[in-house]
Amino acid sequence: MTRTRFIPCLPDPPITLEQVGGRCFAHLFEQPHLHAINTALACNRPLLLTGEPGVGKTQLARAAAKALGRAYVRCTVDAKTESRDLLWQFDAVARLADAQLATHRGWDAEACERELAPANYLIPGPLWWGLSWSTAAQQRRASPPQQLDGGNHQKGVVVLVDEIDKAEIDVPNGLLEVLGEGSFQPEALDVPVRADGIPPFIVITSNRERGLPDAFVRRCVVMRMALPDDDIELRKLLVERGSAHSKLPPDVLGQAADLLIKDRKASTKSPRPGQAEYLDLLRAVEEQLTADGPGAEDLLKLIEPYLLRKTESI
């Protein structure tokens, strides 16, 4: 078996991740994050990240892929997601369209049987790419996931299943076999898809909007991500992370952190503003800061209601 590669230490400088459009942002690992990631890799178990929205669960998965040099595949779950969607989909519409055009294309019976074979209309899902990139890429309708961070699937794949708690309980229950056995059987294929090469590192996030089945949780390594309850520790953490994302001076980072802490205390609804809103606040100030316009402190006050008090406005 190919030996799993681990993240040996805290990266310095921080991991740089690229957004669509060329803008980059940074991720700061914490030591507990590395312990959880390396434990999951060592056990070959999914890493289940829980915690309130905006604490960096999604970004942690992508940063882990970058640190490991792996390809990154993301799937965001919603109320309509089925467990099969994470494995494969069948493009019945395309098959019907091709069947209607068969005569126009001059296909005889043999060509129709060959070209309209159901296996030709399978679309690999995120877990298929994670388990067996090679067989996923062989499918006619495969579209390899874009790698903004330069990930190499030959070094392995990180698969993010984001916000699994949005789905019905059938979804995590439907993933028990593939998570436990590392294989699944798509319809229309003669052989099952099995993990080959380096096992995928599967990261699953939950905002804990609904409970997850015990059997599913037992198959995972679990880490809860949370912002500190202590104001001093929270301010220190926010300023540290803000300095990795922004070129604003420390006093402005501190003022923005003070605003967030104040609004978190005043918030009567969930979710409270968190790290994501703090970083958005810094980006908004930095983008609008000009030599002849309002200063950073004034911009913070102008922008704050729209980013830190969102739940109070609904």
Side-chain angles (χ1 to χ4, degrees), residues 217-228:
V217 175
R218 284 198 301 270
R219 283 167 169 78
C220 301
V221 171
V222 182
M223 180 177 70
R224 182 173 184 270
M225 297 178 66
L227 295 176

Side-chain angles (χ1 to χ4, degrees), residues 139-295:
Q139 302 308 303
R140 281 196 181 188
R141 299 183 180 274
S143 179
Q146 184 180 12
Q147 300 302 310
L148 291 177
D149 304 316
N152 182 356
H153 68 87
Q154 294 181 344
K155 295 182 179 180
V157 182
V158 173
V159 180
L160 171 64
V161 180
D162 208 13
E163 300 186 346
I164 196 169
D165 54 316
K166 292 281 198 304
E168 298 295 332
I169 197 170
D170 292 346
V171 172
N173 279 333
L175 297 178
L176 293 178
E177 182 177 356
V178 67
L179 295 181
E181 304 296 330
S183 66
F184 64 93
Q185 178 67 62
E187 294 178 13
L189 282 191
D190 296 331
V191 295
V193 173
R194 299 186 185 279
D196 54 30
I198 300 174
F201 176 35
I202 301 170
V203 181
I204 304 167
T205 73
S206 169
N207 295 329
R208 303 202 298 183
E209 292 187 6
R210 69 176 74 187
L212 297 172
D214 291 342
F216 178 83
V217 175
R218 284 198 301 270
R219 283 167 169 78
C220 301
V221 171
V222 182
M223 180 177 70
R224 182 173 184 270
M225 297 178 66
L227 295 176
D229 293 324
D230 181 76
D231 290 351
I232 296 176
E233 290 298 318
L234 177 54
R235 189 182 196 274
K236 178 182 177 182
L237 176 70
L238 291 172
V239 171
E240 181 184 39
R241 292 184 178 175
S243 64
H245 289 78
S246 172
K247 296 180 180 178
L248 292 171
D251 62 318
V252 176
L253 301 180
Q255 290 172 22
D258 291 337
L259 288 173
L260 181 127
I261 292 169
K262 181 190 71 174
D263 287 337
R264 279 177 67 84
K265 287 183 174 180
S267 179
T268 59
K269 297 181 180 180
S270 180
R272 296 184 296 169
Q275 176 181 293
E277 286 76 17
Y278 174 73
L279 297 177
D280 283 343
L281 181 60
L282 298 182
R283 280 190 284 268
V285 170
E286 198 166 17
E287 288 292 330
Q288 298 182 64
L289 197 59
T290 60
D292 55 353

Side-chain angles (χ1 to χ4, degrees), residues 102-116:
T103 302
H104 175 73
R105 292 172 176 171
W107 291 352
D108 57 17
E110 182 180 348
C112 283
E113 183 177 0
R114 181 181 66 252
E115 297 298 328
L116 297 176

